[in-house]
Amino acid sequence: MTLHLAVALDGAGWHPAAWRAEGARPDRLFTLAYWADLVAEAERGLLDFVTFEDALGLQSTRLNEPDERLDQVRGRLDAVLIASGVAPLTSRIGLVPTTGTTHTEPFHVAIGIASLDHISGGRAGWRPQVSGRPDHAAHFGRRVLPPLDFSDRADPAFTRHVAGLLGEAADAVEVVRRLWDSWEDDAEIRDVATGRFVDREKLHYIDFQGDWFSVKGPSITPRPPQGQPLVTSLAHDRQPYEFAARASDVVYVTPRDREDASAVVEQVREAEAATGRAGPPLKVFADLVVFLETGGAADRKARLDDLDGGEFVSDAHVFTGTPEALAGLLLSWREAGLDGFRLRPGELPRDLVAITRGLVPELRAAGAFRTAYDTGDLRGRLGLPRPANRYATAS
Amino acid sequence: MTKQIHLAAHFPGVNSTTVWSDPASGSQIDFESFRHLARTAERGRFDFFFLAEGLRLREAKGRIHDLDVVGRPESLTVLAALAAVTTHLGLAATVNSTFNEPYEVARRLASLDHLSGGRAAWNVVTSFDAFTGENFRRGGFLDESDRYSRAKEFLETARELWDSWAPDAVAADPEAGRFLRPGGVTAFRHQGRHFDISGLFNVPRGPQGHPVIIQAGDSDEGREFAASSADVIFSRHSRLEEGRAFYRDVKRRLAAYGRRPEDLKILPAVTYVLGDTEAEAAERAAEIRRAQVGPQQAIYFLEAVWGRDLSAYDPDGPLPDVEPDLDEGVSRGHAAFRRDRGELVAKWRALAEEKNLSIRELAIEVSAPQTFIGTPRTVADEIDHFVQTDAADGFIFVPHLTPGGLDELVDKVVPLLQEKGVFRAEYTGPTLRDHLGLAHRDPALSEPAAPVPAPRTKENR
Ligand SMILES: Cc1cc2nc3c(=O)[nH]c(=O)nc-3n(C[C@H](O)[C@H](O)[C@H](O)COP(=O)(O)O)c2cc1C
């Protein structure tokens, strides 16, 4: 069976000095052509989907405030708009932008992702992300968030703060999912005899009321082609695993090694049980940052570290080595019960090209990766059924 | 001096202008429809392509309105995709200033400006009603009297965010190890009645500096807002005399803000019907009117004014004998109905009596007819006459059919305008500000930025 392979795109790559590497195109980061070229390359490699990072504030090396660094990439275009711009220039690959759940209106997100699904013919996904940063909250001026302090995760104040952000995020996802269903698939009838364009019995108020907000509905956008575009989230801990179990179709996790991968998968399954998840189990993808090269990947990373003035560390495992070695690692980790991987290229486009032209052939040789795209939409590619509409009455 | 005409295309609306019952009427949601209309507009060398917005489905008598086309995508998301399949066409999104926050809207518009190589425009609208607010976290929090004070402060704040990145802030110089130039990005701080925000903006200044600002309000406050802050007005004054009056009124307000008449373009919304002869055009126009105002639409049209359920009345029979209920509003989510309804009913009764009109015939008679009806030649002449006699600087054409509704205009009328020398035969610059003859918002960059190579386009369906 094929393993699932996604690539996480961000700026010039995940190493903060990647923009200074040979072959980088730092002067093109804010153009559509830059993103279109990267996604076209990923599509050439028949990857499942690409994700686009985003945030409502400038990148920073600090947790709660901006830094003053001028030597790293700063600035980002809106991820939904990048994904949408790329959609007509590609045909098969999934497009999964990030949006925030803390400050952004769920209604706007729902219609944005639904529109991306219409534009791309069923290739849209979404990665909801909380923002606990007080400096980002100040860009909105509507609430004050306390500084995040990860030094004592057992501190009840910390857990409460995180629980609040994630609870709000779960409500946001619930609103978005209801809005996607608020039009039944056959709501548009164009019935000339009665003069009706839609059957209003097939348009539904969602009447969501939660602790943080209420939303009436229905959506202004017809149900997306996939019914429910793919919802994905990144999680490192029990609370976010439970959020994923409630809200997502795919969870990205960050195991340190093969053994840790088993432990993490087990924790994800426990979270599913604890939250009483119904429907298909979470697809678990492990995130890795990759520097790929036949000889010299580690040296290349070390040179970038020197340029940046410090060793690059990540929440995810950092792999340096040959495509062949990475293929071996992925196949071994997969046995821990992982469905796939989301690779974060250290340098763009270099490590992306190494994935599509180095890693993919290796996986294929091992019979572990597709040789052609199937015909389905993004959900179908991941083996997820098109969900029934929660508002449709059986007929 | 002969004025150059500006032309824009409106995606067919969520209202009764759009005819969905015609066999040629295609999908209002498939991207192919957007692609076809936008590419047609670009083939016609139009200034821009325009998308409206309505953040709640309209209702009548407490139920979702079901007679008109409904269901549309999020404007900016579609325009980003259109940026990939067009090269010069301006891309205008309607984005409300009440149910949004400046940081997000500013970054999304700046993003569209980058992705399109300088073609973004923002129609700042002020719908504030609690009905629409029910779809949003804050609900209907704004008084009508504050709609423009918020819009004005919203736009000012967005401009502060765009200005917080210098045009050359991104150095991207690997040799020097400098991604940003020192001092290129400055912190913003805005403290006002509606917004108290501070920090760092996270999108570099777009190719146009600021996107083109469009304004569509009609009240005194709306006109003043446009005069102080907008580059384009989208107006509903599409008749010659009222157009001239509106044009004079708005242009004379500009001086108070140190602006010249040419700094604000006035573009009324218009419709058109062509025929090989005047008679044929008139006949087609009447046919389209009948399709727009079907029996159910006619009843609905009267209900909005009567404030009552009139479904028991025969659309082909006489006007309702009941008196209007002036306390009751029937429809929600529609552009505000600001006329005196009692007076209107009396007027319509007199008209129906005089001309012996049924409900449907009256609805057709008193609702807006098409603006330009004629042969391509007479329509081109009329368009030019409107512009040269200062009833407008150009028009936003609202086709009645998706996706073919612009085809005839572009194939038959535009060439005549080009022949007359009043409309461009080719684009002369890459940005929407270039098309509209507006200054770039960067004093330092009075020359247009180097053109961004057109993205490769690929047919994928
Ligand atoms: C031609 C025209 C088009 C408009 N389009 C929209 C629209 O797409 N979405 C919206 O919410 N409001 C739209 N409006 C409403 C205006 O933005 C404004 O909110 C409304 O006219 C009330 O403001 P006023 O009192 O200044 O007229 C439009 C108005 C006009 C005149």
Coordinates of all heavy atoms in Angstrom, one line a residue, chain A residues 146-201:
Chain A
P146 N -2.2 36.2 27.9 CA -1.0 36.2 28.8 C 0.2 35.6 28.0 O -0.1 34.8 27.1 CB -1.4 35.3 29.9 CG -2.5 34.4 29.3 CD -3.2 35.2 28.3
P147 N 1.4 35.9 28.3 CA 2.6 35.3 27.6 C 2.5 33.8 27.8 O 2.1 33.3 28.8 CB 3.8 35.9 28.4 CG 3.3 37.0 29.2 CD 1.8 36.8 29.4
L148 N 3.0 33.1 26.7 CA 3.1 31.6 26.8 C 4.4 31.3 27.5 O 5.4 31.8 27.2 CB 3.1 31.1 25.4 CG 1.7 31.0 24.7 CD1 2.0 30.6 23.2 CD2 0.8 30.0 25.3
D149 N 4.3 30.3 28.4 CA 5.5 29.8 29.0 C 5.5 28.3 29.0 O 4.7 27.7 29.7 CB 5.5 30.3 30.5 CG 6.7 29.8 31.2 OD1 7.6 29.2 30.6 OD2 6.8 30.1 32.4
F150 N 6.3 27.7 28.1 CA 6.4 26.3 27.9 C 7.3 25.6 29.0 O 7.5 24.4 28.9 CB 6.8 25.9 26.5 CG 5.7 26.1 25.5 CD1 5.7 27.3 24.7 CD2 4.7 25.2 25.3 CE1 4.7 27.5 23.8 CE2 3.7 25.4 24.4 CZ 3.7 26.5 23.6
S151 N 7.9 26.4 29.9 CA 8.9 25.8 30.8 C 8.2 24.8 31.8 O 8.8 23.9 32.2 CB 9.7 26.9 31.5 OG 8.8 27.6 32.3
D152 N 7.0 25.1 32.1 CA 6.3 24.2 33.1 C 5.0 23.8 32.6 O 3.9 24.4 32.9 CB 6.2 24.9 34.5 CG 5.6 23.9 35.5 OD1 5.4 22.8 35.2 OD2 5.4 24.4 36.6
R153 N 5.0 22.8 31.8 CA 3.7 22.4 31.1 C 2.7 21.8 32.1 O 1.6 21.6 31.7 CB 4.0 21.3 30.0 CG 4.8 22.0 28.9 CD 5.0 20.9 27.8 NE 5.8 21.5 26.7 CZ 5.6 21.3 25.5 NH1 4.6 20.5 25.1 NH2 6.3 21.8 24.6
A154 N 3.2 21.4 33.3 CA 2.3 20.8 34.3 C 1.6 21.9 35.1 O 0.6 21.6 35.8 CB 3.0 19.9 35.2
D155 N 2.1 23.1 34.9 CA 1.4 24.3 35.7 C 0.0 24.4 35.2 O -0.4 24.5 34.1 CB 2.2 25.5 35.3 CG 1.6 26.8 36.0 OD1 0.6 26.6 36.6 OD2 2.2 27.9 35.8
P156 N -0.9 24.3 36.2 CA -2.4 24.4 35.9 C -2.8 25.6 35.1 O -3.7 25.6 34.3 CB -3.1 24.4 37.3 CG -2.0 24.0 38.3 CD -0.7 24.2 37.7
A157 N -2.1 26.7 35.4 CA -2.4 28.0 34.6 C -2.1 27.8 33.2 O -2.9 28.2 32.3 CB -1.6 29.1 35.2
F158 N -1.0 27.1 32.9 CA -0.6 26.8 31.5 C -1.6 25.9 30.8 O -2.1 26.2 29.7 CB 0.8 26.2 31.4 CG 1.2 25.8 30.1 CD1 1.7 26.7 29.2 CD2 1.1 24.5 29.6 CE1 2.1 26.4 27.9 CE2 1.4 24.1 28.4 CZ 2.0 25.1 27.5
T159 N -2.0 24.8 31.5 CA -2.9 23.9 30.9 C -4.3 24.5 30.7 O -4.9 24.3 29.7 CB -3.2 22.7 31.8 OG1 -2.2 22.7 32.9 CG2 -3.1 21.4 31.1
R160 N -4.7 25.4 31.6 CA -6.0 26.1 31.4 C -6.0 27.0 30.2 O -6.9 27.0 29.4 CB -6.3 26.9 32.7 CG -7.5 26.3 33.5 CD -8.0 27.3 34.5 NE -7.1 28.3 35.0 CZ -6.3 28.1 36.1 NH1 -6.3 26.9 36.7 NH2 -5.5 29.0 36.6
H161 N -4.9 27.7 30.1 CA -4.7 28.6 29.0 C -4.8 27.9 27.6 O -5.5 28.2 26.7 CB -3.4 29.4 29.1 CG -3.1 30.4 28.0 ND1 -4.1 31.2 27.5 CD2 -2.0 30.7 27.4 CE1 -3.5 32.0 26.6 NE2 -2.3 31.7 26.5
V162 N -4.0 26.8 27.6 CA -4.0 26.0 26.3 C -5.4 25.4 26.1 O -5.9 25.4 25.0 CB -2.9 24.9 26.4 CG1 -3.0 23.9 25.2 CG2 -1.5 25.6 26.4
A163 N -6.0 24.9 27.2 CA -7.3 24.3 27.0 C -8.3 25.3 26.5 O -9.2 25.0 25.6 CB -7.8 23.7 28.4
G164 N -8.2 26.5 26.9 CA -9.1 27.6 26.4 C -8.9 27.8 24.9 O -9.9 27.8 24.2
L165 N -7.7 28.0 24.5 CA -7.4 28.2 23.1 C -7.9 27.0 22.2 O -8.4 27.2 21.2 CB -5.9 28.4 22.9 CG -5.3 29.7 23.5 CD1 -3.8 29.7 23.4 CD2 -5.8 30.9 22.7
L166 N -7.6 25.8 22.7 CA -8.0 24.6 21.9 C -9.5 24.4 21.9 O -10.1 24.0 21.0 CB -7.3 23.4 22.5 CG -5.8 23.3 22.1 CD1 -5.1 22.2 22.9 CD2 -5.5 23.2 20.6
G167 N -10.1 24.8 23.1 CA -11.6 24.6 23.1 C -12.3 25.6 22.1 O -13.2 25.2 21.4
E168 N -11.7 26.8 22.1 CA -12.2 27.8 21.1 C -12.0 27.3 19.7 O -12.8 27.4 18.8 CB -11.5 29.1 21.4 CG -12.0 30.2 20.5 CD -11.2 31.5 20.7 OE1 -10.1 31.4 21.2 OE2 -11.8 32.6 20.4
A169 N -10.8 26.7 19.5 CA -10.4 26.2 18.1 C -11.4 25.1 17.7 O -11.8 25.0 16.6 CB -9.0 25.7 18.1
A170 N -11.7 24.2 18.7 CA -12.6 23.1 18.4 C -14.0 23.6 18.0 O -14.7 23.1 17.1 CB -12.8 22.1 19.6
D171 N -14.4 24.7 18.7 CA -15.7 25.3 18.3 C -15.6 25.9 16.9 O -16.6 25.9 16.1 CB -16.1 26.4 19.3 CG -16.7 25.8 20.6 OD1 -16.8 24.6 20.7 OD2 -17.1 26.6 21.5
A172 N -14.5 26.5 16.6 CA -14.3 27.2 15.3 C -14.4 26.1 14.2 O -15.1 26.3 13.2 CB -13.0 27.9 15.2
V173 N -13.8 24.9 14.4 CA -13.8 23.9 13.4 C -15.3 23.3 13.3 O -15.8 23.1 12.2 CB -12.9 22.7 13.8 CG1 -13.0 21.6 12.8 CG2 -11.4 23.2 13.8
E174 N -15.9 23.2 14.4 CA -17.3 22.7 14.4 C -18.2 23.7 13.6 O -19.0 23.2 12.7 CB -17.9 22.6 15.9 CG -19.3 22.3 16.0 CD -19.7 20.9 15.5 OE1 -18.8 20.0 15.4 OE2 -20.9 20.6 15.3
V175 N -18.0 25.0 13.8 CA -18.8 26.0 13.0 C -18.5 25.8 11.5 O -19.4 25.8 10.7 CB -18.5 27.4 13.5 CG1 -18.9 28.4 12.5 CG2 -19.1 27.7 14.8
V176 N -17.2 25.7 11.2 CA -16.8 25.6 9.8 C -17.4 24.4 9.2 O -18.0 24.4 8.1 CB -15.2 25.6 9.7 CG1 -14.8 25.2 8.3 CG2 -14.7 27.0 10.0
R177 N -17.3 23.2 9.9 CA -17.8 22.0 9.4 C -19.4 22.1 9.2 O -19.9 21.6 8.2 CB -17.5 20.8 10.3 CG -16.0 20.4 10.2 CD -15.8 19.1 10.9 NE -14.5 18.6 10.9 CZ -14.0 17.9 9.9 NH1 -14.6 17.7 8.8 NH2 -12.7 17.4 9.9
R178 N -20.0 22.7 10.1 CA -21.5 22.8 10.0 C -21.8 23.7 8.8 O -22.8 23.5 8.0 CB -22.1 23.4 11.2 CG -22.2 22.5 12.4 CD -23.1 23.0 13.5 NE -22.9 22.4 14.7 CZ -23.6 22.7 15.9 NH1 -24.5 23.7 15.8 NH2 -23.3 22.1 17.0
L179 N -21.0 24.8 8.6 CA -21.3 25.7 7.5 C -21.1 25.0 6.2 O -21.9 25.2 5.2 CB -20.4 27.0 7.6 CG -20.9 28.0 8.6 CD1 -19.8 29.0 8.9 CD2 -22.2 28.7 8.3
W180 N -20.1 24.1 6.1 CA -19.9 23.4 4.8 C -21.1 22.5 4.5 O -21.4 22.2 3.4 CB -18.6 22.5 5.0 CG -17.3 23.3 4.9 CD1 -17.1 24.5 4.3 CD2 -16.0 22.9 5.4 NE1 -15.8 24.9 4.5 CE2 -15.1 23.9 5.1 CE3 -15.6 21.7 6.0 CZ2 -13.8 23.9 5.4 CZ3 -14.2 21.7 6.3 CH2 -13.3 22.7 6.1
D181 N -21.7 22.0 5.6 CA -22.9 21.1 5.4 C -24.2 21.9 5.3 O -25.3 21.3 5.0 CB -23.0 20.1 6.6 CG -22.2 18.9 6.4 OD1 -21.6 18.7 5.3 OD2 -22.2 18.1 7.3
S182 N -24.1 23.2 5.4 CA -25.4 24.0 5.6 C -26.2 24.1 4.3 O -27.3 24.4 4.2 CB -25.1 25.4 6.2 OG -24.4 26.1 5.3
W183 N -25.5 23.8 3.2 CA -26.2 23.6 1.9 C -26.2 22.1 1.6 O -25.1 21.5 1.5 CB -25.4 24.3 0.7 CG -25.5 25.8 0.7 CD1 -25.1 26.6 1.7 CD2 -25.9 26.6 -0.4 NE1 -25.3 27.9 1.3 CE2 -25.8 27.9 0.0 CE3 -26.4 26.3 -1.7 CZ2 -26.1 29.0 -0.9 CZ3 -26.7 27.3 -2.5 CH2 -26.6 28.7 -2.1
E184 N -27.3 21.5 1.3 CA -27.3 20.1 0.9 C -26.8 20.1 -0.6 O -26.9 21.2 -1.3 CB -28.7 19.5 1.0 CG -29.1 19.3 2.4 CD -30.4 18.6 2.6 OE1 -30.6 17.7 1.8 OE2 -31.2 18.9 3.5
D185 N -26.3 19.0 -1.0 CA -25.7 18.9 -2.4 C -26.6 19.3 -3.5 O -26.2 19.9 -4.5 CB -25.1 17.5 -2.6 CG -24.0 17.2 -1.7 OD1 -23.1 18.1 -1.5 OD2 -23.9 16.1 -1.2
D186 N -27.9 19.0 -3.3 CA -28.9 19.3 -4.3 C -29.8 20.4 -4.0 O -31.0 20.4 -4.4 CB -29.7 18.0 -4.6 CG -30.3 17.4 -3.4 OD1 -30.0 17.9 -2.3 OD2 -31.0 16.4 -3.5
A187 N -29.2 21.4 -3.2 CA -30.1 22.6 -2.8 C -30.5 23.4 -4.1 O -31.5 24.0 -4.1 CB -29.3 23.4 -1.8
E188 N -29.6 23.5 -5.0 CA -29.8 24.3 -6.2 C -30.8 23.5 -7.2 O -30.4 22.4 -7.6 CB -28.5 24.6 -6.9 CG -28.7 25.6 -8.1 CD -27.4 25.9 -8.8 OE1 -26.3 26.0 -8.1 OE2 -27.3 25.9 -10.0
I189 N -31.9 24.0 -7.4 CA -32.9 23.3 -8.2 C -33.3 23.9 -9.6 O -33.7 23.3 -10.5 CB -34.2 23.0 -7.4 CG1 -34.8 24.3 -6.9 CG2 -34.0 21.9 -6.4 CD1 -36.1 24.1 -6.2
R190 N -33.1 25.2 -9.7 CA -33.5 26.0 -10.9 C -34.9 25.5 -11.5 O -34.9 25.0 -12.6 CB -32.4 25.8 -12.0 CG -31.1 26.4 -11.6 CD -30.1 26.4 -12.7 NE -28.8 26.9 -12.3 CZ -28.1 27.8 -12.9 NH1 -28.5 28.4 -14.0 NH2 -27.0 28.3 -12.4
D191 N -35.9 25.6 -10.6 CA -37.2 25.1 -11.0 C -38.0 26.2 -11.7 O -38.5 27.1 -11.0 CB -37.9 24.5 -9.8 CG -39.2 23.9 -10.2 OD1 -39.3 23.3 -11.3 OD2 -40.2 24.1 -9.4
V192 N -38.0 26.2 -13.0 CA -38.7 27.4 -13.7 C -40.1 27.4 -13.4 O -40.7 28.5 -13.2 CB -38.4 27.2 -15.2 CG1 -39.1 28.3 -16.0 CG2 -36.9 27.3 -15.5
A193 N -40.8 26.3 -13.2 CA -42.2 26.3 -13.0 C -42.6 27.1 -11.8 O -43.6 27.8 -11.8 CB -42.7 24.8 -12.9
T194 N -41.9 26.9 -10.7 CA -42.2 27.6 -9.4 C -41.4 28.8 -9.2 O -41.5 29.5 -8.2 CB -42.0 26.7 -8.2 OG1 -40.6 26.2 -8.2 CG2 -42.9 25.4 -8.3
G195 N -40.4 29.1 -10.2 CA -39.6 30.3 -10.1 C -38.5 30.2 -9.0 O -37.9 31.2 -8.7
R196 N -38.3 29.0 -8.5 CA -37.3 28.9 -7.4 C -36.0 28.4 -7.9 O -35.9 27.4 -8.6 CB -37.8 27.9 -6.4 CG -39.1 28.4 -5.6 CD -39.6 27.3 -4.6 NE -39.8 26.1 -5.3 CZ -39.6 24.9 -4.7 NH1 -39.2 24.8 -3.5 NH2 -39.8 23.8 -5.4
F197 N -34.9 29.2 -7.5 CA -33.6 28.8 -7.9 C -33.0 27.7 -6.9 O -32.4 26.8 -7.3 CB -32.7 30.0 -7.8 CG -31.2 29.7 -8.2 CD1 -30.8 29.6 -9.5 CD2 -30.3 29.5 -7.2 CE1 -29.5 29.3 -9.8 CE2 -29.0 29.2 -7.5 CZ -28.6 29.1 -8.8
V198 N -33.4 27.9 -5.6 CA -32.9 26.9 -4.6 C -34.2 26.4 -3.9 O -35.2 27.0 -3.8 CB -32.0 27.6 -3.5 CG1 -30.6 27.7 -4.0 CG2 -32.6 28.8 -2.9
D199 N -34.0 25.2 -3.3 CA -35.0 24.6 -2.4 C -34.6 25.0 -1.0 O -33.6 24.5 -0.5 CB -35.0 23.1 -2.6 CG -36.0 22.4 -1.7 OD1 -36.5 23.1 -0.8 OD2 -36.1 21.2 -1.8
R200 N -35.3 25.9 -0.4 CA -34.9 26.5 0.9 C -34.9 25.4 2.0 O -34.3 25.6 3.0 CB -35.6 27.7 1.3 CG -37.1 27.6 1.3 CD -37.8 28.6 2.1 NE -37.9 29.9 1.5 CZ -39.0 30.5 0.9 NH1 -40.1 29.8 1.0 NH2 -39.0 31.7 0.4
E201 N -35.6 24.3 1.7 CA -35.7 23.3 2.7 C -34.3 22.6 2.8 O -34.0 21.8 3.8 CB -36.7 22.2 2.4 CG -38.1 22.7 2.3 CD -38.6 23.4 3.5 OE1 -38.2 22.9 4.6 OE2 -39.3 24.4 3.4

